[in-house]
């Protein structure tokens, strides 16, 4: 089933049927990946434009395209691009669409993805727009939750850390809004609580949520989704220093518990390395899941799935 849209800008545009189909295709892509390579996207070119730092998202987009037989063009760092000279995002899209068949872009400005999507002649994927959205991360998070917990309906999800600036928790909350009987615990310093637009969405969807500063409230959830305090969004660096390590998950806190521990990565101290050996530490498996999910999205948006 092709996706009923050309660009992936936000998880708010997805229906449950879309997410289920993406997860289904991603499971098929997992098998393709284990076999090595396919030539499904032979002759197609992905432009990966990363105007903000990225390791996982960029590399997993690129390997996803390469494993499907396609090719990749990469541009990194705003200071090396025409955007730095003052070119508009719209003009950049118009031009890149003449070089590539599909575009993935990360940009520091919230709303940049909407602008890019409105100007792009080829399918466009938001790979993170400032503190706004990160839809492909949310889809790989959902794929991970489904694999680790077998079902998504009925789960208790705890989100911890920088819920204000963390785009992954925004996108994931909207996506989980498509599922039934969920319950959220939102754990953050009072300065970094979930934006009102997300909590009002949860209320609209009648998803019960509790807001607290106490991480203990999340340790018996089904999923504990840890996040990094987003240093790059703080104008006042002393404020970042004050808030950065309010929550540090250590092995004794979760050992023997069934809670699945996730993190979009990079971690900068929020999960101590002694947690890594626990069977419920899912964050590296989660990062690996980025490849089949992005393979699925590239193939589906190019009409080849
Ligand atoms: C996240 C991001 O860029 O929003 N990283 C990622 O894509 N895996 C999370 C983060 O940087 O904290």
């Amino acid at each position: 089933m092709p996706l009923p849209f050309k660009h992936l800008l936000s998880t708010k545009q997805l229906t449950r049927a879309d997410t289920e189909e993406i997860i289904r295709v991603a499971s098929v892509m997992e098998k393709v990946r284990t076999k090595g390579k396919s030539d499904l996207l032979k002759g197609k070119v992905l432009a990966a434009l990363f105007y903000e730092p990225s390791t996982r998202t960029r590399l997993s987009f690129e390997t996803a395209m390469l494993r499907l037989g396609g090719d990749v063009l990469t541009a990194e760092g705003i200071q090396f691009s025409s955007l730095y000279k003052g070119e508009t995002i719209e003009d950049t899209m118009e031009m890149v669409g003449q070089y590539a068949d599909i575009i993935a872009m990360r940009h520091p400005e919230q709303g940049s993805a909407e602008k890019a999507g409105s100007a792009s002649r080829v399918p466009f994927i938001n790979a993170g727009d400032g503190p706004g959205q990160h839809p492909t991360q949310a889809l790989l998070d959902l794929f991970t939750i489904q694999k680790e917990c077998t079902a998504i309906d009925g789960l208790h999800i705890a989100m911890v850390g920088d819920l204000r600036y963390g785009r992954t928790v925004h996108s994931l909350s909207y996506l989980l809004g498509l599922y039934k009987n969920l319950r959220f615990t939102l754990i953050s310093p009072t300065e970094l609580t979930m934006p009102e637009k997300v909590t009002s969405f949860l209320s609209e969807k009648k998803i019960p949520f509790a807001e607290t500063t106490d991480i203990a409230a999340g340790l018996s959830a089904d999923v504990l989704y840890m996040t990094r305090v987003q240093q790059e969004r703080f104008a006042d660096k002393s404020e970042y220093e004050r808030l950065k390590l309010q929550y540090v998950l250590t092995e004794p806190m979760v050992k023997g518990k069934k809670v699945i521990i996730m993190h979009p990565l990079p971690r900068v101290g929020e999960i101590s390395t002694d947690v890594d050996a626990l069977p419920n530490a899912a964050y590296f498996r989660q990062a690996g899941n980025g490849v089949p999910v992005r393979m699925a999205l590239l193939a589906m948006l190019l009409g080849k799935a």
Side-chain angles (χ1 to χ4, degrees):
M1 188 187 79
L3 289 169
F5 47 81
K6 181 171 171 184
H7 308 305
L8 178 59
L9 307 177
S10 146
T11 47
K12 274 192 124 172
Q13 77 191 73
L14 297 166
T15 63
R16 182 148 174 177
D18 299 334
T19 61
E20 282 177 356
E21 183 64 0
I22 294 166
I23 289 177
R24 189 188 67 76
V25 177
S27 311
V28 177
M29 291 300 179
E30 239 178 349
K31 298 193 187 96
V32 174
R33 181 192 174 193
T34 338
K35 284 199 201 115
K37 227 178 144 168
S38 123
D39 60 4
L40 189 69
L41 298 185
K42 196 167 187 297
K44 299 287 183 190
V45 175
L46 163 72
L49 312 179
F50 280 81
Y51 301 130
E52 251 197 345
S54 173
T55 305
R56 269 153 298 277
T57 306
R58 185 166 71 79
L59 292 185
S60 63
F61 260 116
E62 294 188 2
T63 191
M65 193 62 180
L66 296 175
R67 283 178 190 280
L68 289 174
D71 294 295
V72 180
L73 301 172
T74 303
E76 245 186 312
I78 236 164
Q79 68 277 30
F80 304 118
S81 76
S82 284
L83 292 173
Y84 191 66
K85 299 184 195 164
E87 184 170 60
T88 62
I89 290 175
E90 288 86 346
D91 281 5
T92 301
M93 288 304 119
E94 180 64 43
M95 191 244 341
V96 177
Q98 318 233 6
Y99 305 153
D101 301 292
I102 187 162
I103 302 172
M105 181 184 80
R106 170 169 292 186
H107 192 284
E109 198 182 295
Q110 183 162 353
S112 53
E114 301 283 336
K115 277 191 207 163
S118 68
S120 180
R121 60 173 71 208
V122 300
F124 171 86
I125 304 174
N126 178 8
D129 63 326
Q133 281 247 350
H134 192 353
T136 64
Q137 177 72 41
L139 285 161
L140 78 88
D141 292 343
L142 198 72
F143 184 64
T144 304
I145 296 173
Q146 165 120 4
K147 280 177 69 175
E148 301 280 336
C149 303
T150 55
I152 299 167
D153 290 319
L155 295 179
H156 175 197
I157 312 279
M159 293 176 169
V160 184
D162 187 349
L163 307 185
R164 178 174 180 192
Y165 296 121
R167 55 194 169 200
T168 69
V169 284
H170 304 163
S171 286
L172 182 59
S173 300
Y174 292 129
L175 210 48
L176 288 169
L178 300 171
Y179 290 79
K180 292 198 177 65
N181 303 322
L182 297 186
R183 179 157 73 88
F184 278 54
T185 301
L186 304 174
I187 302 158
S188 70
T190 48
E191 295 86 346
L192 299 177
T193 52
M194 190 64 103
E196 203 272 329
K197 63 180 181 197
V198 181
T199 51
S200 61
F201 169 84
L202 295 176
S203 304
E204 235 168 74
K205 294 279 169 184
K206 303 209 168 14
I207 297 178
F209 65 91
E211 294 185 279
T212 171
T213 56
D214 184 5
I215 193 170
L219 302 179
S220 309
D222 296 298
V223 174
L224 185 66
Y225 192 102
M226 300 290 297
T227 64
R228 151 185 91 87
V229 176
Q230 307 278 298
Q231 176 174 16
E232 60 275 42
R233 313 284 172 228
F234 284 78
D236 177 354
K237 293 300 167 204
S238 65
E239 182 72 348
Y240 166 71
E241 290 299 325
R242 191 172 69 77
L243 295 171
K244 71 176 179 191
L245 284 179
Q246 302 246 331
Y247 304 108
V248 177
L249 195 72
T250 60
E251 191 214 46
M253 294 164 75
V254 278
K255 194 176 171 157
K257 295 209 159 84
K258 73 170 184 42
V259 61
I260 299 298
I261 303 152
M262 294 176 63
H263 192 307
L265 304 176
R267 65 173 158 187
V268 285
E270 319 74 45
I271 303 182
S272 94
T273 52
D274 58 7
V275 177
D276 299 358
L278 295 178
N280 46 340
Y283 31 94
F284 291 117
R285 295 193 287 277
Q286 179 185 357
N289 289 336
V291 180
V293 168
R294 292 185 172 109
M295 288 167 82
L297 288 168
L298 290 169
M300 292 170 92
L301 289 171
L302 285 167
K304 297 277 185 183

